[in-house]
Amino acid sequence: MSVRTPKTVISVDLTKSPRTQPVLHNRWHPDLPAVSSVQPGEVFRVECVDWTGGQIGNNDSADDVLNLNLSVCHYLSGPVKVEGAEPGDYLEVEILDVQPLHGHEWGYTGIFDVKNGGGFLHEHFPRAAKAVWDFEGIYASSRHIPGVRFPGLIHPGIIGTAPSQELLEKWNQREAALVAKDPNRVPALAYLPNDTGSFLGALESQPSVARAKGAEAARTIPPREHGGNCDIKNLSRGSKVWFPVYVPGANLSVGDLHFSQGDGEISVRKL
Amino acid sequence: MSVRTPKTVISVDLTKSPRTQPVLHNRWHPDLPAVSSVQPGEVFRVECVDWTGGQIGNNDSADDVLNLNLSVCHYLSGPVKVEGAEPGDYLEVEILDVQPLHGHEWGYTGIFDVKNGGGFLHEHFPRAAKAVWDFEGIYASSRHIPGVRFPGLIHPGIIGTAPSQELLEKWNQREAALVAKDPNRVPALAYLPNDTGSFLGALESQPSVARAKGAEAARTIPPREHGGNCDIKNLSRGSKVWFPVYVPGANLSVGDLHFSQGDGEISVRKL
Amino acid sequence: MSVRTPKTVISVDLTKSPRTQPVLHNRWHPDLPAVSSVQPGEVFRVECVDWTGGQIGNNDSADDVLNLNLSVCHYLSGPVKVEGAEPGDYLEVEILDVQPLHGHEWGYTGIFDVKNGGGFLHEHFPRAAKAVWDFEGIYASSRHIPGVRFPGLIHPGIIGTAPSQELLEKWNQREAALVAKDPNRVPALAYLPNDTGSFLGALESQPSVARAKGAEAARTIPPREHGGNCDIKNLSRGSKVWFPVYVPGANLSVGDLHFSQGDGEISVRKL
Amino acid sequence: MSVRTPKTVISVDLTKSPRTQPVLHNRWHPDLPAVSSVQPGEVFRVECVDWTGGQIGNNDSADDVLNLNLSVCHYLSGPVKVEGAEPGDYLEVEILDVQPLHGHEWGYTGIFDVKNGGGFLHEHFPRAAKAVWDFEGIYASSRHIPGVRFPGLIHPGIIGTAPSQELLEKWNQREAALVAKDPNRVPALAYLPNDTGSFLGALESQPSVARAKGAEAARTIPPREHGGNCDIKNLSRGSKVWFPVYVPGANLSVGDLHFSQGDGEISVRKL
């Protein structure tokens, strides 16, 4: 009898550009085709790249944070189709474990430069900064922050189902109205659809379609009705979460894996 | 700057016989040469085979448990030399994580047949039995025990340093005296040195030496002053343990990995 | 609207002899009348004395351990009748919290003298010993064991329902047969019914009845089908446990509260 | 030898007005005299009233929340002098346990009316609302929120040391400057000193002094350098926290006990 090793439904290659890997995408859109499928109840494994798609290096310079191209973030893995899921269902997802890819046991904390987004405390820490963390089993330590080591609550920052066209339009109208309240605000009150940097995975084989969809696809910054950028530190191994299903197959995507996080992401200036 | 991936100091090949892999051994002896070395404070990874060296299959028959060759148990990985450790020192070992090897995410529970050791409740459960567990992240479930799933406290059953010749002789005298109290007892009060089944890793390239050492090397059944068959369920990731050092380099070995265990091993009849 | 403070269904007086308090008893018997009652689903509080009924003092001498009268142990609080419970039902008990009585925030560890029962390691520690622990919130520390402080897993050592007459007779026959296997063994393989020291709570107002029942009532040493001397460290606040019901009203009793315990009670020599 | 029951250094009477109890105060001021003292390392117990001083009833109406007098909040217990503590020291406080007072095992969640402060989601929930929670050991349930029960992370919302006169003046200047940025903002950017509602505990026996100090004493709304309104859910039993000492004796005060809280207090609209 064969070993029932959890099936890896999405594999990534960290040595290649994310833009060559159709299992990745960085926008939410109902027409993004699923790149893999699972049965209800099936145990499966998804590999992910970091949210920037490899823009941040394991080195001692924060220039990569300073110059980070935010228009391509966040790269997610998926969508994964769940056979039989239909709009109106709820999809139960249980996170069985989250582990770094073998040979890539590291991560980073970055503080954004005020010239590029800025962090929550940008008045006090205006310059880009970076700490690289080495993962040592359940612990992380950093050569950039001597004397500190802590166990993580490893979890996906972003996980969610695909929106329907109707829901996508609702998002776009809602967020456009929000931006209109204070159009010149820095940072903006919302990031509206923008094809610049957009990467729509399997749809990219049809460039004209991809560009048209990219112009209306939702950005990955906020959490929305479908889940999305949850950033919940306790959404870790052992958690169950229920997502509404808006499209046939549910089309689950996941990414932005965190080794650990506080109550929010204080190194990033959000709205 | 290169990634500081934890160095794998011992690799095993689950497709091959343990007796072809000099990084394994199944007896404790001071003259067993180290097969790898680490610096104090270094983070490293050791791969292990199961305690039987692959005698138990992922199938639905308990015949392998019934016919298990106990004379070759337990296969351990090591010894790993710790540079600078000297007799009289204490070796601090911190267990940073324990994970199944990729593609081999399964384990088993076996109840020994009364004809082959027997279990703790052998009067009630005299026949060999086996349940195969599939690991699903932090959980295990078994096709042989429907409806049960639980998170494990993964840990090494056996971990310890090499004995000195003096300590080995003390063990052998002590255990011989114990057996002498009731020589015909089933199970025996102790398992004395016996070269049958002995495998002394790197020493096996010198068969006559290996056979001579095998005749006096300590079996791996009980825990002793050096650690050994601890079977402590909380000796899991995040634990620190201190072992006495009896030989230069400490010569740490580890094996008999458990996904989970209660307060003792009720499926095995020990003394 | 009045505050729904949990109703205290059994109160004890630590300044008085347990033998003057009919809410206590130290044997299991089906005819012991309930001293209080609760509704299914009701939250209630039970006060308890220590298992010895106050024989151990908060002082620096172990003479009280040496001379402990074991024939009166363990004093339990109850029985509490659960309205509507009938034989054949299961009684679900949830332990919502366990706390020391205000003004009595202390406990003790005692090692029995070989002359009076002995401890598990009586060959190494033959003499009576005692450590008094002061409870400091979730922690305990002892003036007799300097430098140690630890948080407890507070729990009842004994909790169970009353046996039916049929079950009581089954116990008595079973344990008599066990003793008969080795009648002179020290310690005995079981403690058979013995009215010496027996205290049957509300039944004591009828001395002749109490003495007759005391001669057949079960001792409190082992756990049995009804629960009893469970000594499970995790049977703590937050736990639910299901007990069989053998008599109308279930007749739950509880006592032998522990601040903390290991995997078993190593300071006591049981069978 | 007497039992070392933790000394209760501050007792409150929940049946009386907080304004008759000189062990309470609702402003921070360096000249507030200590009402009790402890030795370094001593284990002690402090009793507290709820933050409103008893304005909220265990009933089914939210009128008390609607009409809550915020000018008297929060009532704290203290100050407790720590013998030998001097400005420049750090005071280590370990929270050994937090429990409801016997007979008062209940609490409440209140949503502020927009007419009286408002809650975080006041646009969605503009009206005063209240849920009373009954404490059942480690759990709380509410007749106003059927079907919900959860274990709490019980902790003090407010704990801190007394400020020095210099620090108090620094606070007052800093917060006045903050208010000046947007003087008409609702809610205000800070609550400046205001003797209305002020209660200065032991100082109230000298009304003219109390009124003068009350006019400059700091409100209890924000956390500041000395601790104060921390509202940290994990500052629970088992936690250690270090506070700067600004006055001789440190003068520790504590109150605003919470049975449980999320990441912040979403039912209250703060700045």
Side-chain angles (χ1 to χ4, degrees):
Chain A
M1 181 163 293
S2 65
V3 179
R4 297 199 308 171
T5 293
K7 180 170 71 169
T8 298
V9 298
I10 295 184
S11 292
V12 297
D13 186 337
L14 298 187
T15 66
K16 292 185 181 162
S17 163
R19 304 186 82 85
T20 66
Q21 304 186 51
V23 296
L24 301 177
H25 64 96
N26 61 14
R27 299 289 192 275
W28 296 107
H29 197 283
D31 296 341
L32 201 57
V35 293
S36 190
S37 71
V38 296
Q39 296 297 322
E42 188 174 353
V43 175
F44 61 96
R45 179 188 281 133
V46 172
E47 296 181 359
C48 297
V49 299
D50 87 302
W51 71 295
T52 72
Q55 296 186 60
I56 307 294
N58 188 335
N59 55 43
D60 302 330
S61 162
D63 284 355
D64 43 19
V65 174
L66 173 64
N67 300 314
L68 187 68
N69 179 1
L70 286 164
S71 76
V72 300
C73 297
H74 309 71
Y75 282 107
L76 310 177
S77 294
V80 177
K81 179 186 184 182
V82 181
E83 297 293 344
E86 289 298 336
D89 291 346
Y90 270 78
L91 177 67
E92 180 181 277
V93 177
E94 184 172 20
I95 300 175
L96 299 172
D97 204 358
V98 184
Q99 293 285 341
L101 290 168
H102 188 65
H104 301 273
E105 289 91 348
W106 67 280
Y108 54 87
T109 304
I111 297 180
F112 283 91
D113 200 282
V114 289
K115 295 180 197 155
N116 192 21
F120 179 70
L121 297 172
H122 56 92
E123 294 180 10
H124 299 278
F125 302 100
R127 296 281 77 84
K130 186 173 78 177
V132 173
W133 298 90
D134 294 298
F135 303 151
E136 302 170 346
I138 61 170
Y139 298 103
S141 66
S142 173
R143 62 185 181 267
H144 300 121
I145 305 178
V148 172
R149 193 181 72 147
F150 67 97
L153 267 178
I154 197 165
H155 63 278
I158 298 184
I159 182 166
T161 48
S164 62
Q165 186 68 31
E166 184 186 4
L167 182 61
L168 174 63
E169 287 169 12
K170 183 180 170 188
W171 291 350
N172 287 344
Q173 288 163 22
R174 184 171 65 196
E175 294 175 23
L178 189 62
V179 169
K181 284 188 178 179
D182 188 356
N184 300 317
R185 190 174 182 276
V186 177
L189 284 169
Y191 295 94
L192 300 180
N194 184 343
D195 186 52
T196 303
S198 167
F199 179 73
L200 290 180
L203 223 49
E204 294 289 334
S205 61
Q206 304 161 266
S208 63
V209 176
R211 295 294 66 75
K213 305 292 185 191
E216 65 176 13
R219 300 296 304 271
T220 53
I221 296 294
R224 297 184 183 97
E225 292 88 333
H226 68 138
N229 199 356
C230 301
D231 282 347
I232 298 172
K233 66 179 176 181
N234 293 116
L235 187 54
S236 185
R237 50 185 171 207
S239 293
K240 279 183 189 168
V241 59
W242 291 264
F243 297 108
V245 176
Y246 299 106
V247 302
N251 281 7
L252 182 76
S253 295
V254 62
D256 193 20
L257 302 189
H258 296 155
F259 180 78
S260 184
Q261 160 170 304
D263 294 323
E265 279 180 318
I266 207 164
S267 54
V268 181
R269 177 162 58 160
K270 291 190 175 169
L271 300 185
Chain B
M1 181 164 292
S2 64
V3 179
R4 298 199 307 171
T5 294
K7 181 170 71 168
T8 298
V9 299
I10 294 184
S11 293
V12 297
D13 185 338
L14 298 187
T15 68
K16 292 185 181 163
S17 163
R19 303 185 83 85
T20 66
Q21 304 185 52
V23 295
L24 301 177
H25 63 96
N26 62 12
R27 298 289 191 275
W28 297 107
H29 197 285
D31 295 340
L32 201 57
V35 293
S36 190
S37 71
V38 295
Q39 296 297 322
E42 189 174 352
V43 174
F44 62 96
R45 179 188 281 134
V46 172
E47 295 180 0
C48 298
V49 299
D50 88 302
W51 71 294
T52 71
Q55 297 185 58
I56 307 293
N58 188 336
N59 55 42
D60 302 330
S61 163
D63 284 354
D64 43 18
V65 175
L66 173 64
N67 301 313
L68 187 68
N69 178 1
L70 286 163
S71 77
V72 300
C73 297
H74 309 71
Y75 282 106
L76 309 177
S77 294
V80 177
K81 179 186 184 182
V82 180
E83 297 291 346
E86 289 297 336
D89 290 346
Y90 270 79
L91 178 67
E92 179 181 276
V93 177
E94 184 172 19
I95 299 174
L96 299 172
D97 204 358
V98 184
Q99 293 285 340
L101 289 169
H102 188 65
H104 302 272
E105 289 89 349
W106 66 281
Y108 54 88
T109 305
I111 297 180
F112 284 91
D113 200 281
V114 289
K115 297 180 196 154
N116 192 20
F120 179 69
L121 297 171
H122 56 93
E123 294 181 9
H124 299 276
F125 303 100
R127 296 281 78 82
K130 184 173 79 177
V132 172
W133 297 90
D134 293 298
F135 303 151
E136 301 171 347
I138 60 171
Y139 298 103
S141 67
S142 172
R143 63 186 180 267
H144 300 121
I145 305 178
V148 173
R149 193 180 71 146
F150 68 97
L153 267 178
I154 196 166
H155 63 278
I158 298 184
I159 182 166
T161 48
S164 62
Q165 186 68 31
E166 183 187 5
L167 182 61
L168 175 64
E169 287 168 11
K170 182 180 170 188
W171 292 349
N172 287 344
Q173 290 163 21
R174 184 170 66 195
E175 294 175 23
L178 190 60
V179 169
K181 284 189 178 180
D182 189 356
N184 300 317
R185 189 176 184 275
V186 177
L189 283 168
Y191 296 93
L192 299 182
N194 183 343
D195 187 51
T196 303
S198 167
F199 180 72
L200 290 180
L203 223 50
E204 295 289 334
S205 59
Q206 306 160 265
S208 62
V209 176
R211 294 294 64 78
K213 304 291 185 192
E216 67 176 11
R219 301 295 304 272
T220 53
I221 296 293
R224 298 186 183 95
E225 291 88 332
H226 69 137
N229 199 357
C230 301
D231 281 347
I232 298 172
K233 67 179 175 180
N234 292 117
L235 185 55
S236 184
R237 51 187 171 207
S239 293
K240 280 183 190 168
V241 59
W242 290 265
F243 296 108
V245 176
Y246 299 106
V247 302
N251 281 6
L252 182 77
S253 295
V254 61
D256 192 20
L257 301 190
H258 296 154
F259 180 78
S260 186
Q261 159 169 306
D263 294 323
E265 278 180 319
I266 207 163
S267 54
V268 182
R269 178 162 56 160
K270 292 190 175 170
L271 301 184
Chain C
M1 181 165 294
S2 64
V3 179
R4 298 199 307 171
T5 294
K7 181 170 70 169
T8 298
V9 299
I10 294 183
S11 292
V12 297
D13 185 336
L14 299 186
T15 67
K16 292 184 180 163
S17 163
R19 303 184 85 84
T20 65
Q21 304 185 50
V23 296
L24 302 176
H25 63 97
N26 62 13
R27 298 289 190 278
W28 297 105
H29 197 284
D31 297 340
L32 202 57
V35 292
S36 190
S37 71
V38 296
Q39 296 297 323
E42 189 174 352
V43 174
F44 61 96
R45 178 188 282 132
V46 172
E47 296 180 359
C48 297
V49 299
D50 88 300
W51 72 295
T52 72
Q55 296 185 60
I56 306 294
N58 188 335
N59 55 44
D60 301 332
S61 163
D63 285 353
D64 44 18
V65 175
L66 173 63
N67 300 314
L68 188 67
N69 179 1
L70 285 164
S71 75
V72 300
C73 296
H74 309 70
Y75 282 106
L76 310 177
S77 295
V80 176
K81 179 185 184 183
V82 181
E83 297 292 343
E86 289 297 335
D89 290 346
Y90 270 79
L91 177 68
E92 179 181 277
V93 177
E94 183 172 21
I95 299 174
L96 299 172
D97 204 357
V98 184
Q99 292 286 341
L101 290 168
H102 187 65
H104 302 272
E105 288 89 350
W106 66 281
Y108 54 88
T109 305
I111 297 180
F112 283 90
D113 200 282
V114 287
K115 295 179 197 153
N116 192 20
F120 179 70
L121 298 172
H122 56 92
E123 293 180 11
H124 298 278
F125 302 100
R127 295 282 76 84
K130 185 172 79 178
V132 172
W133 297 91
D134 294 298
F135 303 151
E136 302 171 345
I138 61 171
Y139 299 103
S141 66
S142 172
R143 63 186 179 267
H144 300 122
I145 306 178
V148 172
R149 195 180 70 147
F150 68 96
L153 267 178
I154 196 165
H155 64 279
I158 298 185
I159 183 167
T161 48
S164 62
Q165 186 67 30
E166 183 186 5
L167 183 61
L168 175 63
E169 286 167 14
K170 183 180 170 188
W171 291 350
N172 286 344
Q173 288 163 22
R174 184 171 66 197
E175 295 175 24
L178 189 61
V179 169
K181 284 189 177 178
D182 189 357
N184 300 316
R185 189 175 184 275
V186 178
L189 283 170
Y191 295 94
L192 300 180
N194 184 341
D195 186 52
T196 302
S198 166
F199 180 72
L200 290 180
L203 222 50
E204 294 289 335
S205 59
Q206 303 161 266
S208 61
V209 176
R211 294 294 65 76
K213 305 292 184 189
E216 67 176 10
R219 300 295 304 270
T220 54
I221 295 296
R224 298 187 182 95
E225 291 89 333
H226 69 136
N229 199 358
C230 301
D231 282 347
I232 299 172
K233 66 180 175 180
N234 293 117
L235 185 54
S236 184
R237 51 187 170 205
S239 295
K240 278 183 192 169
V241 59
W242 291 264
F243 296 108
V245 176
Y246 299 106
V247 302
N251 281 5
L252 182 76
S253 295
V254 61
D256 192 21
L257 302 189
H258 296 155
F259 181 79
S260 185
Q261 159 169 306
D263 294 325
E265 280 181 318
I266 207 164
S267 53
V268 182
R269 177 162 57 158
K270 291 187 178 171
L271 300 185
Chain D
M1 182 164 292
S2 64
V3 180
R4 298 199 308 172
T5 294
K7 181 169 72 168
T8 299
V9 298
I10 294 183
S11 293
V12 298
D13 186 337
L14 298 186
T15 68
K16 293 185 180 163
S17 163
R19 303 185 85 83
T20 66
Q21 304 186 51
V23 297
L24 302 177
H25 63 96
N26 61 12
R27 298 289 190 276
W28 296 106
H29 197 284
D31 296 340
L32 202 56
V35 292
S36 190
S37 72
V38 296
Q39 296 296 323
E42 188 174 353
V43 174
F44 61 96
R45 178 187 283 133
V46 173
E47 296 180 0
C48 297
V49 299
D50 88 300
W51 71 295
T52 73
Q55 296 185 60
I56 307 294
N58 188 334
N59 54 45
D60 301 331
S61 163
D63 284 354
D64 45 18
V65 174
L66 174 63
N67 301 314
L68 187 68
N69 179 2
L70 286 163
S71 76
V72 300
C73 296
H74 309 71
Y75 283 106
L76 309 177
S77 294
V80 176
K81 179 185 182 182
V82 181
E83 298 292 344
E86 289 296 334
D89 290 347
Y90 270 80
L91 178 68
E92 179 181 276
V93 177
E94 183 172 21
I95 299 174
L96 299 173
D97 204 357
V98 185
Q99 293 285 341
L101 290 169
H102 187 65
H104 301 272
E105 289 89 350
W106 66 280
Y108 53 88
T109 305
I111 298 180
F112 283 91
D113 200 281
V114 287
K115 295 180 197 153
N116 191 21
F120 179 69
L121 297 172
H122 56 91
E123 293 180 10
H124 299 278
F125 303 100
R127 295 283 76 85
K130 184 173 79 179
V132 172
W133 297 91
D134 293 298
F135 303 151
E136 302 172 346
I138 61 171
Y139 298 103
S141 66
S142 172
R143 62 185 179 267
H144 300 121
I145 305 177
V148 173
R149 195 180 70 146
F150 68 97
L153 267 177
I154 196 166
H155 64 279
I158 299 185
I159 184 167
T161 48
S164 62
Q165 186 66 32
E166 183 186 5
L167 182 61
L168 175 63
E169 287 169 12
K170 182 180 171 188
W171 290 352
N172 286 344
Q173 289 163 21
R174 183 171 68 196
E175 294 175 23
L178 190 60
V179 169
K181 282 189 178 178
D182 189 355
N184 300 317
R185 190 175 184 275
V186 178
L189 284 169
Y191 296 94
L192 300 181
N194 183 342
D195 186 52
T196 302
S198 166
F199 180 71
L200 290 180
L203 223 50
E204 294 290 334
S205 60
Q206 303 160 266
S208 61
V209 175
R211 297 291 68 75
K213 304 294 184 190
E216 67 176 11
R219 299 297 303 271
T220 54
I221 296 295
R224 297 187 183 95
E225 291 88 334
H226 69 137
N229 199 357
C230 301
D231 281 347
I232 298 172
K233 66 178 176 181
N234 292 118
L235 185 53
S236 185
R237 50 186 172 206
S239 293
K240 278 183 192 169
V241 58
W242 291 264
F243 296 109
V245 176
Y246 298 107
V247 302
N251 282 5
L252 181 76
S253 295
V254 62
D256 193 21
L257 301 189
H258 296 153
F259 180 79
S260 184
Q261 161 172 303
D263 294 325
E265 279 180 317
I266 207 164
S267 54
V268 182
R269 178 163 57 158
K270 291 188 177 170
L271 302 185

